[in-house]
Amino acid sequence: MTSGAVLTEAHTSFPLRLEKIYNDLEQIIDNFKPDAMSIEELFFNNNAKTAINVAQARGVILVTAKKNNIPIYEYTPLQIKQAVVGYGRADKKQVQSMVKMILNKEELPKLDDTTDSMAIAICHAHSFRFAKCL
């Protein structure tokens, strides 16, 4: 098992940052050949500029998955917390603790986004396995 994050430099122009996300994701797909992509649905209520930028990056991610014929599964934050912790209103520390326990990790990555992606993957694994049983 591996994990990581696509990082972009803050001082880089936004179009170049989107291109880096696309290129890095293409490389990840080429290296790991995933069967599926699980992604968190967006929920923002404060900063419109941040929401727009995140939505654009999310669009790049979705298009990249689609171009590579990778099925996309979307989950709300509530669904993710429910699947990982068993409680949809769990806080970040509870989610991190459960990710660590479920994956039998001594330590989690320092970057919260990486741990969040692990939680989304766990959610998908639980949800997909349950859906196949029905």
Side-chain angles (χ1 to χ4, degrees):
M1 174 185 190
T2 188
S3 63
V6 173
L7 303 175
T8 62
E9 297 293 327
H11 66 276
T12 306
S13 73
F14 195 68
L16 287 176
R17 293 173 84 177
L18 292 176
E19 181 182 40
K20 181 173 182 348
I21 291 168
Y22 172 78
N23 289 335
D24 285 5
L25 191 52
E26 281 284 345
Q27 186 67 48
I28 291 166
I29 290 168
D30 190 51
N31 288 342
F32 294 99
K33 303 190 182 0
D35 295 326
M37 182 178 293
S38 54
I39 189 166
E40 184 175 1
E41 288 184 9
L42 287 181
F43 176 77
F44 284 99
N45 58 4
N46 290 344
N47 189 333
K49 182 177 176 12
T50 298
I52 290 168
N53 288 347
V54 170
Q56 290 180 78
R58 187 177 188 279
V60 168
I61 294 165
L62 294 173
V63 167
T64 307
K66 189 68 178 159
K67 275 187 58 185
N68 285 278
N69 298 312
I70 300 170
I72 302 162
Y73 299 87
E74 299 181 71
Y75 300 98
T76 66
L78 187 118
Q79 288 173 305
I80 296 164
K81 292 173 183 178
Q82 181 69 39
V84 175
V85 179
Y87 175 60
R89 304 280 182 223
D91 65 31
K92 193 169 251 335
K93 289 224 182 272
Q94 289 172 301
V95 173
Q96 290 172 339
S97 177
M98 286 303 295
V99 166
K100 189 174 170 182
M101 187 168 60
I102 291 167
L103 297 179
N104 196 26
K105 293 276 198 182
E106 298 245 349
E107 296 207 15
L108 291 173
K110 291 190 188 326
L111 189 61
D112 284 348
D113 291 339
T114 304
T115 303
D116 291 348
S117 71
M118 293 170 157
I120 297 165
I122 291 166
C123 174
H124 176 68
H126 287 298
S127 300
F128 192 71
R129 184 180 63 202
F130 177 74
K132 287 180 80 172
C133 293
L134 296 177

